[in-house]
Amino acid sequence: MDNSAFEIHEDGAQNTRSVGKISTISRMEKKKPWSLMKIFLMCLLACFITTAIGVLIVSLVYVNSQPRLNVQLQPAWSTRTTAVLNVQKAVDPKFQFLNHLPKSKVFEFPGGAIQWARYRNNIKDYVSDEEEAFGTSLNSQRSQMTLGTLRIKSKGLRAPHWHFNANEHGYLVQGTAWIGVVDDGGEVATTYNVTAGQVIFFPKNTLHWVKNVGNEDCFFLLFFSTHDELQTLDVDDVFFSTPEDIASRSLKPEGGVNFIRKFHKQTEDQGINLPHNLAELVMNASYVQSPDNLVWRYFFDLKGSKEYRFPGGVIQMAHYLKNGNELSNNEKIFSEFLNEHENALSLSTLRIYNNGLRQPHFHFNANEMGYVLSGCGKVGIISTQGTVEFNIHIGDVIFFPIGTQHYIKSTCDEDLLFILAFSTRDKLQTLDMDDYIQATADHILAQLFLRKQSEFKKIPKFKEDQAINLP
């Protein structure tokens, strides 16, 4: 290198390292036997430690790489418990056909209350396993039926609303109400008054309201032509969901958008509305009645209609009749309007005298749903699995799928009274047990029951219809 000073220093260092190296070698040579033993022992210890660590690492990697088998590794009692939890509770088969509506959840509003016998999309919305069984039955049978009770306090209002997926048929059990229906385009608002025993009808997607104009509560039974979750929209909900500028441009009120901003959505659902300061808000309300040709499309006087009498009871019907000779001119308006709407229902009242029997029968073209208005009784469902029998009382709801043979017996001192709905807009087609036995040839019955043909002559044929009979 050019720097001689550096070269001198490097040589000195090399000389020093050489001396040190010789000195170290000399010391190692003197202690060589002991150093080899230590080295051997240290290597042996290192090998042992390394092997132990290696085994531990391999074990950890192996365990972590295996699939999780928690279910198989659980003790037997744990597996059995899990299996039990996954099995649904056993429910009495009668609840496919029976709903104890008074035990269901009450939906409270400022002006009244609603209860439901219906299908729910979310099973958590059912109050009980029995209620779930009934709702599931309605849906699985594609019943086109839902039932609700509507109670409106005096001066209360069922807010203007419409249903997306169902026609609505109502029967007023108690009270006096003023009804409003807004026709296509809003050009005509049909209004009319109803009293107990009368029927109202609202086609799907028709805006309507119900106002209690009496001093007592109004109590309605409402049937809807859907087996799915009922979809309803109230006018106030629409209003508050609409942007302010859109509502202002649509309604064009005095004051424009500032007028719209004066409205505030209430914390409590106003589905059935009754403000505490109603007297300050409303002055000289008018409850006018529209002309008959408009009213009778949405209204039917069931209590004033023809009575079909039997030995054991009475039936009255609000339904479509192809041959309307039995109907008044106003009833024909209802009948024809009903038949224009797909999935409309037919309503009727069924009164069974004490100890009377609505004999075994079935319907060709409709599911049936009923509500017990008064009395008590026994119901029987006859199917390929046998007969299911159960008792019924006021407020109970029953359901009979299409083609299901069933019977109803009155077991109280008072009459058993139903309001019934059928999932057809056409004439109801029904076959009673005595009718199909009488219509079957004697020799066919003899062969079937292994009895002499002459024995079937003992079954009388009555001049009077025995659909509801007495012993």
Side-chain angles (χ1 to χ4, degrees), residues 7 239 317 359 389 455:
E7 290 178 355
F239 181 87
M317 295 181 285
Q359 67 162 282
E389 262 195 346
E455 292 194 36

Side-chain angles (χ1 to χ4, degrees), residues 244 247-249 252-262:
E244 293 175 345
S248 177
R249 288 187 59 179
K252 299 188 183 303
E254 292 183 14
V257 73
N258 290 325
F259 173 86
I260 301 297
R261 288 171 179 166
K262 293 179 182 178

Side-chain angles (χ1 to χ4, degrees), residues 350 352 356-358 378-379 398 400 407-409 416 418:
L350 168 64
I352 306 176
L357 170 71
R358 176 64 182 99
K378 179 171 288 186
V379 169
I398 54 176
F400 306 124
Y407 57 86
I408 307 171
K409 182 180 178 181
L416 175 59
F418 283 94

Side-chain angles (χ1 to χ4, degrees), residues 149-422:
T149 60
L150 169 64
R151 185 175 296 278
I152 308 177
K153 299 174 184 177
S154 178
K155 299 181 176 58
L157 169 70
R158 175 62 184 101
H161 65 283
W162 66 92
H163 309 288
F164 292 92
N165 62 335
N167 300 299
E168 177 180 356
H169 300 254
Y171 177 86
L172 181 55
V173 179
Q174 171 189 297
T176 305
W178 186 62
I179 309 293
V181 184
V182 180
D183 291 347
D184 179 31
E187 297 179 1
V188 177
T190 301
T191 55
Y192 55 97
N193 293 279
V194 295
T195 57
Q198 296 177 327
V199 167
I200 55 178
F201 170 57
F202 309 122
K204 180 171 59 176
N205 290 320
T206 299
L207 188 145
H208 57 280
W209 69 79
V210 183
K211 164 82 174 180
N212 184 343
V213 293
N215 294 322
E216 62 177 342
D217 287 358
C218 277
F219 184 67
F220 282 92
L221 291 172
L222 304 176
F223 296 89
F224 301 88
S225 62
T226 182
H227 47 262
D228 293 320
E229 187 91 55
L230 184 64
Q231 299 175 14
T232 302
L233 195 58
D234 292 353
V235 165
D236 61 326
D237 291 330
V238 176
F239 181 87
F240 288 112
S241 296
T242 303
E244 293 175 345
D245 60 323
I246 300 299
S248 177
R249 288 187 59 179
S250 300
L251 302 176
K252 299 188 183 303
E254 292 183 14
V257 73
N258 290 325
F259 173 86
I260 301 297
R261 288 171 179 166
K262 293 179 182 178
F263 293 81
H264 301 284
K265 188 174 180 62
Q266 302 298 311
T267 55
E268 193 171 7
D269 194 328
Q270 298 298 304
I272 310 175
N273 161 277
L274 185 57
H276 67 278
N277 61 337
L278 182 62
E280 301 174 14
L281 302 174
V282 177
M283 300 288 182
N284 302 320
S286 176
Y287 305 112
V288 298
Q289 180 98 352
S290 297
D292 283 354
N293 65 320
L294 296 178
V295 170
W296 280 84
R297 293 183 298 168
Y298 307 108
F299 166 81
F300 189 88
D301 184 16
L302 185 57
K303 68 179 180 181
S305 66
K306 180 179 178 178
E307 294 183 343
Y308 296 86
R309 292 193 168 272
F310 305 88
V314 181
I315 293 176
Q316 291 179 282
M317 295 181 285
H319 64 157
Y320 168 73
L321 283 178
K322 188 173 182 179
N323 184 355
N325 293 335
E326 299 179 5
L327 303 176
S328 68
N329 290 334
N330 285 336
E331 289 175 341
K332 287 180 181 178
I333 295 173
F334 178 86
S335 174
E336 293 170 1
F337 188 67
L338 188 70
N339 189 246
E340 291 174 8
H341 293 86
E342 186 178 359
N343 296 331
L345 305 177
S346 296
L347 263 59
S348 74
T349 53
L350 168 64
R351 183 181 297 275
I352 306 176
Y353 303 146
N354 175 37
N355 207 30
L357 170 71
R358 176 64 182 99
Q359 67 162 282
H361 65 284
F362 63 93
H363 307 292
F364 289 84
N365 63 334
N367 298 294
E368 177 181 355
M369 179 179 278
Y371 179 95
V372 182
L373 291 167
S374 65
C376 62
K378 179 171 288 186
V379 169
I381 313 288
I382 304 170
S383 69
T384 54
Q385 284 76 41
T387 300
V388 176
E389 262 195 346
F390 51 86
N391 296 318
I392 51 172
H393 302 86
I394 294 174
D396 282 342
V397 177
I398 54 176
F399 169 62
F400 306 124
I402 187 170
T404 301
Q405 181 146 286
H406 55 280
Y407 57 86
I408 307 171
K409 182 180 178 181
S410 176
T411 57
C412 286
D413 292 336
E414 63 177 321
D415 293 350
L416 175 59
L417 180 61
F418 283 94
I419 177 71
L420 302 173
F422 302 90

